[in-house]
């Protein structure tokens, strides 16, 4: 089943949810290469230490967690890994084995309102949800960390190394908030959506 994310967070019909809400400044790109948690290479070991809910950002991360026997509570996928299309088998595995699927647009190096709303809505749902992004999902881990409850696990890919496992705490959340404050765009709207 596919549905659009709810638009009940003080939005108006004129809101352009697919337009960039925040853009990544060039000078922050290197900082984002530093992982927010330990890098794991074994999905089963990661899952033994994972809290709930589990939010997976990336096709390969989602695939490895599902192959290890656990469907993430929220998956964010875009059909690519390291700027290359994923195999059809992986694409099918990460987009078809879920209770609910939401399709949104999110261009590279930005966060759209549609992506942030879809994350928040997915975290409120009891059933596993896959957010299928037309564009790029690379920055989705940031609002996911802010929106997720303490103890949740946000897992995203670290190119060429493995999966970064972030256990959400207030300390990590504040670190990510400080980073997002340095993005360009409507930060006030972002905090409204994430509150």
């Amino acid at each position: 089943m596919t549905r659009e994310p709810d638009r009940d967070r003080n939005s108006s019909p004129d809101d352009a949810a697919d337009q960039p809400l925040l853009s990544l400044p060039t000078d922050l790109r290197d900082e984002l290469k530093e992982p927010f948690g330990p890098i794991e290479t074994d999905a089963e070991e990661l899952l033994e230490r994972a809290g709930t809910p589990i939010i997976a950002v990336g096709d390969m991360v989602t695939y490895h967690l599902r192959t290890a026997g656990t469907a993430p509570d929220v998956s964010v996928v875009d059909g690519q890994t390291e700027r290359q299309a994923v195999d059809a088998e992986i694409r099918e595995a990460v987009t078809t084995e879920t209770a609910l699927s939401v399709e949104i647009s999110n261009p590279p190096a930005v966060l759209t309102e549609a992506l942030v709303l879809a994350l928040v809505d997915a975290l409120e749902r009891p059933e596993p949800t896959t957010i299928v992004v037309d564009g790029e999902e690379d920055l989705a881990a940031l609002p996911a960390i802010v929106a997720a409850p303490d103890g949740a696990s946000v897992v995203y890919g670290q190119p060429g190394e493995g999966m970064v496992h972030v256990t959400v705490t207030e300390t990590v959340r504040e670190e990510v908030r400080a980073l997002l404050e340095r993005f360009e765009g409507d930060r006030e709207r972002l905090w409204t959506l994430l509150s």
Side-chain angles (χ1 to χ4, degrees), residues 5-195:
D6 293 335
R7 306 223 187 268
D8 60 358
R9 293 194 178 2
N10 302 321
S11 57
S12 70
D14 298 327
D15 284 343
D18 291 340
Q19 295 302 311
L21 183 64
L22 291 184
S23 299
L24 174 64
T26 306
D27 62 335
L28 284 184
R29 290 178 191 266
D30 285 340
E31 279 186 58
L32 284 178
K33 292 178 183 174
E34 291 298 316
F36 286 98
I39 298 174
E40 309 268 358
T41 56
D42 186 307
E44 289 179 8
E45 288 180 15
L46 184 155
L47 288 167
E48 288 174 10
R49 293 187 289 278
T52 55
I54 298 173
I55 301 105
V57 177
D59 295 68
M60 295 308 297
V61 169
T62 300
Y63 180 75
H64 287 305
L65 294 178
R66 287 186 178 178
T67 301
T70 299
D73 298 283
V74 180
S75 301
V76 187
V77 298
D78 64 6
Q80 297 193 33
T81 182
E82 298 188 34
R83 309 283 188 247
Q84 300 294 321
V86 296
D87 294 338
E89 172 192 345
I90 293 170
R91 178 71 173 169
E92 184 174 335
V94 301
T95 58
T96 60
E97 298 174 17
T98 190
L100 181 64
S101 182
V102 177
E103 296 178 11
I104 57 101
S105 295
N106 193 84
V110 304
L111 291 169
T112 60
E113 183 167 316
L115 176 59
V116 174
L117 279 170
L119 278 167
V120 171
D121 290 343
L123 282 165
E124 293 174 354
R125 299 193 174 284
E127 67 270 18
T129 302
T130 299
I131 300 168
V132 180
V133 176
D134 177 13
E136 191 175 278
E137 38 73 337
D138 292 8
L139 296 176
L142 300 175
I145 291 168
V146 175
D150 285 352
S153 288
V154 176
V155 186
Y156 65 92
Q158 186 78 356
E161 296 185 55
M163 300 172 283
V164 178
H165 178 201
V166 182
T167 299
V168 178
T169 63
E170 190 57 35
T171 301
V172 174
R173 194 179 291 114
E174 287 306 315
E175 182 181 345
V176 171
R177 281 181 177 274
L179 188 63
L180 286 167
E181 277 292 337
R182 297 166 58 199
F183 276 53
E184 297 165 351
D186 191 350
R187 292 179 299 279
E188 184 175 329
R189 178 67 178 153
L190 175 69
W191 304 135
T192 298
L193 295 173
L194 291 173
S195 63

